[in-house]
Amino acid sequence: MQECVYEDLFTRTFGYLRQSGIVLTRDTALTTLKMIEEILVSDSRDALDRVVVELPQRLEAPDSPLPVPCPPVNRGSIGYW
């Protein structure tokens, strides 16, 4: 059972990196693995929660663009004469 927890921790951590737009390079992977190792050595029960908190502090995520607040207004006709 414990193996599934560890596999889930790795899968979710690297999935988070991929989804947040962080480029997975050798240095990024090593930093992430070292962080996971530190968390597992500390024998924390809430390992995934600690990863979510500490990962943004250790790696810089690219700024995500803000969405457009409203669509552009275009003049149109609904066909009335």
Side-chain angles (χ1 to χ4, degrees), residues 18-61:
R18 205 174 308 118
Q19 294 296 322
S20 62
I22 296 174
V23 179
L24 191 59
T25 62
R26 181 178 183 273
D27 293 333
T28 304
L30 286 173
T31 301
T32 305
L33 289 173
K34 286 178 187 176
M35 181 196 60
I36 291 174
E37 180 184 17
E38 290 170 9
I39 290 172
L40 291 177
V41 166
S42 71
D43 199 26
S44 176
R45 290 182 166 254
D46 57 343
L48 188 58
D49 293 338
R50 287 193 53 200
V51 166
V52 170
V53 170
E54 290 187 25
L55 194 59
Q57 296 173 356
R58 296 187 186 209
L59 299 174
E60 289 187 30

Side-chain angles (χ1 to χ4, degrees), residues 61-67:
D63 293 333
S64 58
L66 294 175

